[in-house]
Amino acid sequence: MTQPMIEATGLTKHYGETHALAGIDLTVPRGTVLGVLGPNGAGKTTAVRILTTLATPDSGSARVAGFDVVSEADQVRRNIGVTAQDATLDEALSGRQNLVMVGELSGLRRSAAKTRAAELLERFTLSEAADRVLRTYSGGMRRRLDLAAGLVTQPPVLFLDEPTTGLDPTSRVRMWDIVRDLVADGTTLLLTTQYLDEADALADRIVVIDHGRVIANGTASELKAATGGARLEVTLTKPHEAAVGALRLLTEGEIDVSADGRLLRASVRSGSGVATAVIRALDTAGVVVDDVAVHPPSLDDVFFALTGSPATEAAPAADDLEGVA
Amino acid sequence: MSVATLAVETRPPATYGKLQRAVRDIVVLTRRNVVHIAREPLQLSDATVQPVLFTLLFIYVFGSGVPIAHGSYKDFALAGLIALNLTTSAMGTAVGLSSDLNTGVIDRFRTLPMWGAAVLVGRSLSDVLSAALCITMVAMTGLAIGWRPDASALSIVGGFAIPLLFAYALSWACACLGLVSKGPESAQGIGLIFLFPMAIVSNAMVPTQGMPAWLATVANWNPVSSVTAAARDLLGNPNPSAAIHTWPMQHPVAASLVWSAAIIAVFAPLATALYRRRTTG
């Protein structure tokens, strides 16, 4: 197998008393997308800062595009594009001036930097606003320009730190399309996100981190399968007292019955033949069924199962986590 | 169109040497800062409106009350106004650098394969350009209201070059202030506390002979006084400090050069170290 484009081993980093990273391993093969998923403060940005040479790890090591992020930082910088979570462009310059500046600082001649800036502005539908000062840009426009700035030298490895946080739904979908195009072009991508649907939609593999540790690692479907627990919804033609008893052997935990007694909800082990088994059991008990639905677990369910707290809320206290970490 | 489709070569030519890259980076960042100065009304006013205003105010208000032996206040004051304006507007370095550090733009620079210290060097060079503009504004205003230099062309150039060199040196000191301050506002506040007394407790606007002895001693050793006296001598304007028997007032050109060199020697490496410390984590 060829060398991975991003490879981190045992990265730790603390800021004062806070252990931002408590030993992280990451591997991203060439041309694939790794989604790094975690709540605010999980250590995602710290990991990205180390991999993009903005911070040095306390221990552990990382190589990007084959170069060590500490001892070969300059080589790493020649091979990466970065779109940070906070805007990193010059508010007092126009969009075009920003891209030309980034191009020149990346080593392009001024003429080449100008041509490339015009291409990217066109590509990201910013041509009309190209000569306006950045201050006048909307949030979505800034993000697109920030992403464009990361692509000026067409780097083989790209880091996107929460590329859609704070964007309206339209801008978000547009950003997803841009990212998909990049991936189609063969770029290796590390993407951090708080949004489970985003990781699900864009990433080949997902690493879930919390409190500076990797708590799960796999494809979206592997993570869902590992959590088990698909959601079962059964709609009866009319309420039937035998229904709950018939389902009990197949489900896990409480069975929730709606007020009118027709809708039953419960967790089931996901696996082949679940729906058939449910219908057979209910039929045997003489219950007539209108509808059966088995929903595979969402990444939200996965996150909840792993950390004991919803992904969108603040991370739990450290001692809640001993069991999972 | 695919993002990968490139009409241009996006890899830097391998022939670029390290030095050539560094020079290019400095040029790019200097240009960027000049655009800032042109677009920020406050920074632009420091280099354009303020020099004109100070020149007119000082010459017409102070000129009536400060007698100058062997010459007019106008001819006396001009070199002092150059030094005063350059000293007070040196704060721009601290404010500009502090603003950059408080946004993500430095992080962007640091992910690029550029020479890191170009951020500082570019800043100090754009400040020299703005200082040159400031000197021009003072001189033009002076000429318009009757100030005249009285020396050879070469000497007059020297009379402007010495304050410019001092402004460059001062920008490194102010860079350090910008690097240790929390934000642009505090950089401005702290800068004013140092720079304003430095500009005023000097021979720039009044001869030091009238000051209490202890204050006169401070003023005579103030680098701003050396620079002002040197500029007066070189521009052929009245320089009452020539009668003062302290080394810097007897050798103002040498003193100005020594002061500027010493300030650069101390603060340029310090600024580089502070910048490195502030941007590594």
Side-chain angles (χ1 to χ4, degrees):
Chain A
M1 198 185 126
T2 58
Q3 192 187 21
M5 287 302 263
I6 303 171
E7 190 171 30
T9 322
L11 291 183
T12 68
K13 179 75 181 174
H14 70 94
Y15 293 105
E17 294 288 292
T18 314
H19 286 271
L21 292 184
I24 290 239
D25 297 337
L26 296 172
T27 305
V28 190
R30 184 184 296 269
T32 66
V33 182
L34 178 71
V36 177
L37 182 68
N40 261 330
K44 303 187 299 291
T45 296
T46 306
V48 169
R49 286 183 70 84
I50 290 173
L51 293 172
T52 57
T53 77
L54 286 173
T56 48
D58 295 340
S59 66
S61 66
R63 299 181 83 78
V64 172
F67 298 104
D68 186 274
V69 294
V70 178
S71 62
E72 297 168 305
D74 202 55
Q75 305 281 16
V76 171
R77 289 172 189 155
R78 283 174 205 282
N79 285 284
I80 59 171
V82 185
T83 298
Q85 195 175 341
D86 306 312
T88 56
L89 291 168
D90 192 325
E91 290 282 301
L93 300 185
S94 69
R96 189 190 307 280
Q97 283 172 323
N98 266 295
L99 293 185
V100 172
M101 175 175 75
V102 168
E104 287 188 278
L105 293 175
S106 305
L108 299 189
R109 292 178 192 286
R110 190 161 171 78
S111 56
K114 280 184 171 169
T115 313
R116 182 63 175 149
E119 270 177 21
L120 287 165
L121 289 164
E122 175 75 35
R123 160 78 185 126
F124 291 115
T125 54
L126 289 166
S127 292
E128 254 172 65
D131 297 307
R132 266 165 46 196
V133 177
L134 212 59
R135 266 189 212 110
T136 65
Y137 278 34
S138 70
M141 290 162 76
R142 270 163 214 263
R143 286 298 172 91
R144 295 209 299 281
L145 189 70
D146 229 319
L147 182 54
L151 298 174
V152 168
T153 55
Q154 208 207 352
V157 185
L158 193 62
F159 293 89
L160 303 181
D161 195 5
E162 302 199 9
T164 64
T165 299
L167 292 189
D168 60 77
T170 317
S171 304
R172 193 159 171 244
V173 168
R174 196 166 183 179
M175 190 60 101
W176 284 14
D177 287 341
I178 292 170
V179 170
R180 286 194 182 105
D181 280 357
L182 288 170
V183 174
D185 288 340
T187 306
T188 304
L189 181 67
L190 186 149
L191 164 108
T192 77
T193 183
Q194 296 187 46
Y195 304 119
L196 306 153
D197 56 337
E198 188 160 288
D200 202 359
L202 299 175
D204 297 313
R205 293 186 70 79
I206 296 170
V207 154
V208 184
I209 68 175
D210 197 26
H211 287 85
R213 287 176 195 280
V214 174
I215 56 172
N217 182 356
T219 63
S221 39
E222 280 170 5
L223 286 181
K224 290 171 186 172
T227 324
R231 277 184 301 114
L232 171 72
E233 284 184 7
V234 181
T235 311
L236 309 180
T237 309
K238 55 179 196 244
H240 197 295
E241 54 195 12
V244 169
L247 286 177
R248 187 144 284 150
L249 286 173
L250 297 165
T251 60
E252 298 178 324
E254 290 292 296
I255 297 172
D256 178 58
V257 185
S258 66
D260 67 4
R262 284 187 58 220
L263 181 64
L264 284 73
R265 278 184 296 214
S267 288
V268 287
R269 274 253 152 241
S270 55
S272 53
V274 174
T276 312
V278 166
I279 289 171
R280 191 169 290 149
L282 290 169
D283 189 43
T284 308
V287 182
V288 187
V289 181
D290 277 357
D291 188 35
V292 173
V294 182
H295 300 287
S298 72
L299 278 169
D300 271 308
D301 302 329
V302 172
F303 204 87
F304 189 82
L306 289 168
T307 65
S309 68
T312 43
E313 282 179 19
D319 47 12
D320 294 344
L321 254 156
E322 296 300 325
V324 252
Chain B
M1 184 186 86
S2 145
V3 186
T5 314
L6 290 181
V8 291
E9 177 52 59
T10 56
R11 295 282 148 189
T15 49
Y16 278 0
K18 251 195 157 107
L19 183 70
Q20 203 180 348
R21 288 294 308 272
V23 170
R24 280 169 44 92
D25 293 342
I26 291 167
V27 170
V28 171
L29 289 176
T30 306
R31 199 191 305 125
R32 170 223 176 212
N33 293 336
V34 169
V35 173
H36 271 240
I37 293 169
R39 290 213 176 126
E40 301 283 343
L42 211 71
Q43 283 190 51
L44 188 63
S45 139
D46 266 5
T48 55
V49 179
Q50 180 189 301
V52 174
L53 199 66
F54 276 18
T55 304
L56 295 175
L57 286 176
F58 274 93
I59 286 180
Y60 286 113
V61 176
F62 281 44
S64 54
V66 182
I68 301 298
H70 318 296
S72 70
Y73 185 77
K74 211 177 283 175
D75 287 338
F76 164 83
L78 193 108
L81 283 160
I82 289 177
L84 177 88
N85 277 297
L86 290 183
T87 306
T88 54
S89 60
M91 218 141 50
T93 310
V95 175
L97 200 53
S98 187
S99 306
D100 279 354
L101 286 162
N102 278 274
T103 65
V105 75
I106 299 276
D107 274 355
R108 164 69 62 191
F109 293 153
R110 290 184 55 233
T111 60
L112 300 175
M114 56 175 278
W115 183 50
V119 171
L120 296 175
V121 180
R123 172 66 59 187
S124 70
L125 289 182
S126 59
D127 288 334
V128 164
L129 294 176
S130 121
L133 176 63
C134 178
I135 292 175
T136 309
M137 296 307 286
V138 173
M140 300 289 272
T141 312
L143 284 170
I145 60 173
W147 161 76
R148 292 293 177 266
D150 183 15
S152 69
L154 195 66
S155 182
I156 292 172
V157 170
F160 293 135
I162 291 223
L164 197 59
L165 173 67
F166 180 65
Y168 179 75
L170 219 48
S171 79
W172 282 105
C174 288
C176 293
L177 174 62
L179 285 161
V180 296
S181 63
K182 286 207 161 40
E185 286 83 8
S186 79
Q188 175 143 27
I190 299 166
L192 202 68
I193 291 169
F194 286 104
L195 294 172
F196 202 67
M198 189 170 156
I200 296 295
V201 183
S202 73
N203 62 9
M205 299 325 304
V206 294
T208 56
Q209 279 91 337
M211 296 178 184
W214 66 271
L215 195 63
T217 307
V218 174
N220 290 332
W221 284 89
N222 182 345
V224 175
S225 295
S226 304
V227 170
T228 306
R232 279 177 185 144
D233 278 352
L234 291 167
L235 294 171
N237 288 144
N239 176 20
S241 298
I244 296 165
H245 292 281
T246 59
W247 184 81
M249 292 301 98
Q250 288 301 306
H251 307 93
V253 173
S256 301
L257 295 177
V258 169
W259 270 120
S260 301
I263 293 172
I264 294 171
V266 171
F267 289 104
L270 183 63
T272 312
L274 287 171
Y275 178 74
R276 198 158 292 154
R277 204 187 65 180
R278 177 100 185 230
T279 55
T280 38

